[in-house]
Each structure stands twice: as C-alpha cells, then as structure tokens.
Amino acid sequence: MQVTVFSAKLYEHPSLEAAASRHGHTVDFQPLRLYRDTASLALGTPAVSAFVHDILDAETLGLLARQGVRLVALRCAGFNQVDLKAAEKFGVTVARVPAYSPQAVAEHTLALLLALLRKLCRAHNRVREGNFSLDGLLGEGLCGKTAGIVGTGKIGTVVARILNGFGCRLLGYDPAPSTTCEKLGMTYTDLPHLLEASDIVTLHCPLTPGTRHLLGEPEVARMKPGAVLINTSRGAVLDTQAVIRGLKSGRIGALGLDVYEEEDHLFFEDLSGQIIQDDVFARLMTFPNVLITGHQGFFTREALEAIADVTFRNVSEFELTGKCANAIAPARRVSAGSNPKRLART
Ligand code: NAI
C-alpha cells in the first residue's frame, strides 16, 4: 500500500523507510503538516500517516475521504488532534501506536528532574566559560523526597519504578490506580493532598476536557513551597499563567517542561532566526529555574523504530482485513483486549 507520510522529518526517514519495506509498503514523505490545505498532497494514496500537530478535523477528514483515503495511521499514542466522529462519518479508519516506549518519556522526565535538582544547565554553561565557582549551584538530593505522580498509566508507572529506585516516597493520583504502583509502595490519595505533600510533582495523565488546566491557580497555591513541577504529558494540563505566578512567588521551586500549551506554533521547527512572538513562552524562558525541551520525551532511537514498526503493521493489518486492532475509529474496531474507557481518555 502507498502511504503519504505527513510532518515527515528527515530523522524519521530511515526508520520509516525500513519498516515500510519490511511490511511491503511504499512511502511518500511530505514535510508539511496535514491540514485542510495540504490534504490534496495525498491524492491517489489510500493511506496517510500523521503526527501530533497535524489537524485531522472534519474538513480535512472529509477531503481525504473524497480523495479515496481509507486509513489514517497515526505515528503517536495521543489522538486529541483527531475528530473521531468525523472519521467514522466519512468511513476513514484511524489507527494509532498505543505504546512505543513509556521508558523514553519516563527517562526524559528524570533527565529534566535531575538537571533541575543539580542545576546542570547553569553548571555546564559556567564550566564552558572557565568559571568553576560553585556559588549558586547547591543541589538537592532525591533520596527520601516525596514524589507525587499524577496519572499512573504506562509512563507514570515507569517513573514510579525509577523514583522508587532513587529512594523516593511515592504518592499517586489516578482514577484508575495501578496495582504495580501499589506494590512499589505508592499511596494513592486525592490531588489536593498530593500537591500539599509532594516535594516533586510530575504529570503523566492525558489531555481531556477533564484534565485541561488540572493544575491552575488554586492547585499551585496548594503545592509545598519550593516543590519541583515536571510536565511531560500535554501542555494544557497546566495553566501556564498560574504556573508563572507560582514561579514568581517561589511556590514552585523549579519547573521542567517537555510540553507547552501553545506548542504547535513553536515545537518541531527551527525558529532560531526568528523573533518568538509568544510572550508567555518568552517569560518562561527568563526564569533561571525553568528547563524546557521541545516535546522530545518520545525521541529515542528505540522509540522511533517501534513507532515505525507498529505504524506499518497497522497498515498491513488494515490492508489484509479492512480492520485494525489499534484502531480508535470507527469505535467498534477497538480491539477486544483494550480497555475502551482508558483509550477514550488517552
Ligand atoms: P496511559 O493511558 O497509559 O496512562 C494515563 C493515565 O492517566 C491512566 O492511568 C489514567 O487513568 C490516568 N488519568 C486519566 N485522567 C486522569 C486525571 N484526571 N487525573 C489523574 N490521572 C488521570 O498513558 P501513557 O502512555 O502513560 O501516557 C500519558 C500521557 O503522556 C499521554 O496521554 C500523552 O499526553 C503523554 N505523552 C507524552 C510524550 C512526550 O513525548 N512528551 C510521548 C507519549 C505520551
């Protein structure tokens, strides 16, 4: 099957080409994002592949369907960018990669946390300039700290396992508690108590209408003074303005972000020659205790290979059977083994 791959970055070409050829498919790489104005680039191909910032709204899906596209193979787990009802209406199957490497995101979470606690970015910049003074570099340890994990699914559970290894006390907040986390000694509690008791708060829940701005002004005010906040889930789970106020007041001691509410105007592009127009993002970058990466939690060699492999396995399965176990639309094609309640939230 020929697949038009949108938002295709050069670094993905090798893994996607290898997986496509292994599964007997051909690819047409399109560096542009998929949205209504670019949908025609898929003319003549029965399948497209899309990523997190592509816009699969009703208009785009309608255009794709009229061109003969029958499958959208997402190269990601989250699908908040897809109008699933429209996909169903237009008879377009949408499949995703439900889990490729929870370790990749969990390890990146720890990278942000350790870099903040041990002030690695400041230290690195200083050493490069021949400044070996330790003033202002006093760090904090992890052992014995209380870590609050919001969302203990696949990624949150790996984070819990790693933090347990560092000697942290684990608190969790999740409407569907994990027995694996409980076996690690995690105590489940409500969000207000987790925020009051945690030295570190790390977010691993999906973005849904219910989790948008899960941490706003009142929640930030409940946090332990000086706590470290990490978000590698989705930007809008945090109210960025409330977080900025929390940083200014010192309530938040340090902030590590891999995601940002308005990231689709910034992330995955080289804007180094341009003036950043987003004043909220620019303000965040002025804090010495804020560390931001541009949605790279998933970005390991292992994860890219897994994403490519599952994407083209989904294409093969659809080509052979007209169905796909990793389909999220039409809804009835969700595999029997999956938990539809959880899928709907992811
Ligand atoms: P998952 O579905 O395995 O786990 C999510 C957990 O959040 C579930 O246990 C669910 O019950 C829980 N949850 C749902 N609503 C909640 C709420 N209101 N409060 C607390 N917990 C809630 O998902 P997984 O694979 O662990 O991924 C988590 C999120 O990480 C994804 O939804 C995605 O947004 C983000 N992600 C980020 C990546 C990156 O590169 N930074 C890459 C992949 C995922």
Side-chain angles (χ1 to χ4, degrees):
M1 203 179 239
Q2 170 132 17
V3 183
T4 307
V5 179
F6 283 90
S7 299
K9 298 287 186 194
L10 282 177
Y11 50 72
E12 312 178 84
H13 287 199
S15 53
L16 288 168
E17 258 163 358
S21 127
R22 238 184 358 261
H23 291 278
H25 304 292
T26 51
V27 280
D28 172 28
F29 289 121
Q30 291 295 344
L32 295 174
R33 287 185 186 178
L34 172 57
Y35 66 112
R36 67 165 188 220
D37 292 352
T38 57
S40 62
L41 292 168
L43 199 68
T45 58
V48 300
S49 176
F51 198 50
V52 288
H53 293 154
D54 293 318
I55 302 170
L56 287 144
D57 54 11
E59 199 177 353
T60 309
L61 286 162
L63 287 166
L64 290 172
R66 281 194 286 284
Q67 286 170 201
V69 170
R70 290 179 295 126
L71 174 70
V72 174
L74 297 176
R75 306 197 295 290
C76 51
F79 50 86
N80 47 299
Q81 73 278 38
V82 187
D83 184 334
L84 295 180
K85 280 201 182 114
E88 183 135 24
K89 179 176 148 201
F90 294 118
V92 176
T93 295
V94 182
R96 65 175 187 143
V97 182
Y100 36 92
S101 177
Q103 287 77 13
V105 186
E107 287 167 14
H108 193 73
T109 303
L110 261 291
L112 290 173
L113 178 59
L114 287 170
L116 285 166
L117 287 175
R118 303 306 297 266
K119 302 190 169 62
L120 291 190
C121 297
R122 265 184 115 176
H124 174 67
N125 289 335
R126 252 187 220 187
V127 170
R128 279 163 68 99
E129 289 184 0
N131 176 355
F132 303 103
S133 154
L134 296 184
D135 290 334
L137 295 184
L138 187 64
E140 275 196 56
L142 264 179
C143 187
K145 291 272 161 42
T146 299
I149 303 182
V150 178
T152 55
K154 291 180 285 296
I155 296 169
T157 298
V158 180
V159 170
R161 212 176 275 137
I162 298 173
L163 288 174
N164 183 52
F166 272 94
C168 291
R169 186 175 155 246
L170 300 175
L171 289 180
Y173 169 63
D174 192 313
S178 140
T179 46
T180 310
C181 288
E182 280 170 339
K183 280 185 195 148
L184 289 171
M186 178 177 280
T187 305
Y188 278 94
T189 181
D190 54 24
L191 186 60
H193 178 248
L194 180 145
L195 295 171
E196 282 159 13
S198 298
D199 303 293
I200 297 140
V201 175
T202 181
L203 306 178
H204 303 290
C205 57
L207 176 62
T208 64
T211 61
R212 183 171 292 274
H213 289 187
L214 187 69
L215 262 66
E217 200 83 48
E219 290 75 23
V220 169
R222 276 188 186 269
M223 288 175 70
K224 207 167 169 177
V228 181
L229 176 61
I230 308 284
N231 186 12
T232 61
S233 64
R234 284 291 182 265
V237 175
L238 284 183
D239 175 348
T240 313
Q241 297 284 6
V243 166
I244 287 175
R245 283 190 283 275
L247 283 161
K248 284 168 80 176
S249 72
R251 175 66 64 168
I252 298 174
L255 174 71
L257 298 180
D258 187 48
V259 287
Y260 168 61
E261 268 188 272
E262 303 297 331
E263 70 175 52
D264 51 340
H265 303 296
L266 299 169
F267 289 2
F268 302 141
E269 306 302 330
D270 179 1
L271 305 179
S272 54
Q274 299 181 28
I275 307 294
I276 299 290
Q277 298 297 324
D278 184 328
D279 292 346
V280 177
F281 186 81
R283 179 66 179 105
L284 276 176
M285 292 305 298
T286 64
F287 292 98
N289 51 350
V290 172
L291 175 53
I292 304 180
T293 52
H295 207 139
Q296 67 174 80
F298 73 99
F299 195 48
T300 62
R301 191 175 323 122
E302 294 81 358
L304 280 193
E305 281 167 13
I307 289 169
D309 193 58
V310 177
T311 299
F312 286 101
R313 246 195 288 143
N314 287 343
V315 174
S316 292
E317 195 186 340
F318 179 76
E319 188 178 33
L320 286 173
T321 66
K323 293 184 186 173
C324 188
N326 289 327
I328 41 173
R332 65 181 173 280
R333 284 184 185 153
V334 171
S335 70
S338 323
N339 174 351
K341 200 168 151 221
R342 175 161 289 184
L343 282 176
R345 287 196 304 257
T346 309

